[in-house]
């Protein structure tokens, strides 16, 4: 048998043969990481957003050193869980927006899905949206800090809101042009309003004064949509002009 021809059958310069053990190990690590996130999510849902790494590890029937090995610290676990949660929220919000027939329906659908998912697991929502000590210590230009998945989620939802609203606002006779601030600022302001109102709603104890998810979604939609669709007629001041004949209460002319 000519062994030289057998050896030469391997193309030169192809580099080392991929190590199957390495890829299997990476797959195992990824699967283990997903399982740890899933268990941590259930633990936080039961124990509250203040659950410690020790509490979470106990719920996973492992040691907290395992969580530190996979996630670095609690902030790392928060970020990893936030990726999963916000990814699921984004998928459902996109699906709701696709089914809408009008910009208003799309806005209401996205608000409803956001509130509903936050309401389903308020402890998990609070856990992934809280700022941890590592975030506070790291500066805004710290390149070593992982990107905040919640920020990416909010930016994505902002753009989802922006697309239909740009089309709607461009049809408004009161729009000043393509540089009209509403085209850039309204979607971001809308996200801030929905998130702030939603988090206040989650923190409000159940009672007669607390709206249901349907009611709050309707109310926020009205505030946001009507607030930009109703315009002050041209030539009408937005507020009454001060009456120059009325003396100031701070001045006594007597």
């Amino acid at each position: 048998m000519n062994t030289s021809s057998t050896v030469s059958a391997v193309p030169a310069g192809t580099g080392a043969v991929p190590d199957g053990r390495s890829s299997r190990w990476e797959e195992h690590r990824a699967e283990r990481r997903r399982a740890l996130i899933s268990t941590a999510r259930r633990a936080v849902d039961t124990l509250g957003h203040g659950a410690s790494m020790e509490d979470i590890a106990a719920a996973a029937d492992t040691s907290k050193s395992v969580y530190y090995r996979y996630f670095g610290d609690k902030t790392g676990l928060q970020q990893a869980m936030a990726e999963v949660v916000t990814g699921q929220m984004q998928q459902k919000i996109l699906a709701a927006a696709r089914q809408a027939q009008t910009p208003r329906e799309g806005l209401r659908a996205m608000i409803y899905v956001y509130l509903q998912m936050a309401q389903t697991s308020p402890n998990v929502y609070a856990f992934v949206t809280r700022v941890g000590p590592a975030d506070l210590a790291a500066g805004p230009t710290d390149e070593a800090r992982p990107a905040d998945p919640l920020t990416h989620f909010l930016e994505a939802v902002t753009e989802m809101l922006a697309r239909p609203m740009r089309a709607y606002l461009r049809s408004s006779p009161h729009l000043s042009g393509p540089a009209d601030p509403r085209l850039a600022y309204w979607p971001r302001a809308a996200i801030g309003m929905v998130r702030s109102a939603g988090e206040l709603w989650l923190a409000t104890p159940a009672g007669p004064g607390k709206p249901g998810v349907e009611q709050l979604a309707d109310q926020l939609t009205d505030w946001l949509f009507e607030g930009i669709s109703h315009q002050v007629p041209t030539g009408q001041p937005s507020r009454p002009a001060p009456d120059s004949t009325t003396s100031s209460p701070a001045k006594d002319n007597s």
Side-chain angles (χ1 to χ4, degrees):
M1 178 178 180
N2 188 347
T3 56
S4 62
S5 62
T6 304
V7 172
S8 63
V10 178
T14 57
V17 177
D19 187 352
R21 290 173 300 178
S22 176
S23 65
R24 285 195 298 272
W25 172 243
E26 288 301 319
E27 290 173 7
H28 168 75
R29 277 187 59 84
E31 185 177 341
R32 176 64 169 151
R33 196 171 187 270
R34 287 192 295 269
L36 289 170
I37 293 172
S38 180
T39 305
R41 187 172 176 174
R42 290 194 298 271
V44 170
D45 191 35
T46 302
L47 301 173
H49 62 77
S52 67
M53 290 289 271
E54 190 169 2
D55 294 333
I56 292 169
D61 196 24
T62 188
S63 67
K64 63 181 180 181
S65 62
V66 172
Y67 271 93
Y68 284 118
R69 184 163 69 248
Y70 276 86
F71 304 102
D73 55 17
K74 187 173 181 178
T75 299
L77 175 60
Q78 285 175 293
Q79 291 173 328
M81 196 185 300
E83 277 187 43
V84 175
V85 173
T86 58
Q88 292 172 347
M89 291 181 80
Q90 187 171 341
Q91 287 177 3
K92 291 195 174 185
I93 288 172
L94 274 169
R98 288 192 196 102
Q99 295 176 7
Q101 300 298 312
T102 66
R104 185 186 184 111
E105 286 181 13
L107 174 63
R108 199 268 184 193
M110 287 188 276
I111 292 173
Y112 176 79
V113 169
Y114 176 83
L115 294 173
Q116 186 185 48
M117 291 196 71
Q119 181 192 41
T120 300
S121 188
N123 287 332
V124 172
Y125 179 88
F127 184 81
V128 302
T129 56
R130 290 171 62 201
V131 178
D135 290 321
L136 294 174
T141 58
D142 186 356
E143 295 181 0
R145 183 176 59 179
D148 179 5
L150 186 67
T151 299
H152 289 312
F153 165 71
L154 294 173
E155 290 293 337
V157 177
T158 298
E159 181 54 29
M160 278 189 275
L161 282 173
R163 285 194 294 269
M165 294 316 295
R166 284 192 198 109
Y168 171 78
L169 287 171
R170 285 192 184 108
S171 67
S172 169
H174 303 287
L175 194 68
S176 61
D180 191 295
R182 285 172 293 174
L183 293 175
Y185 289 93
W186 183 88
R188 192 170 297 275
I191 286 295
M193 180 177 178
V194 172
R195 183 180 176 188
S196 296
E199 290 177 2
L200 174 62
W201 175 69
L202 289 175
T204 302
K210 182 175 182 177
V213 62
E214 296 269 2
Q215 185 182 354
L216 184 60
D218 288 340
Q219 184 65 81
L220 288 171
T221 303
D222 287 344
W223 286 339
L224 289 168
F225 204 88
E226 301 303 329
I228 60 168
S229 63
H230 286 180
Q231 305 292 329
V232 177
T234 305
Q236 178 179 330
S238 58
R239 65 180 65 181
D243 186 352
S244 59
T245 63
T246 305
S247 60
S248 169
K251 295 181 180 179
D252 186 357
N253 296 324
S254 59

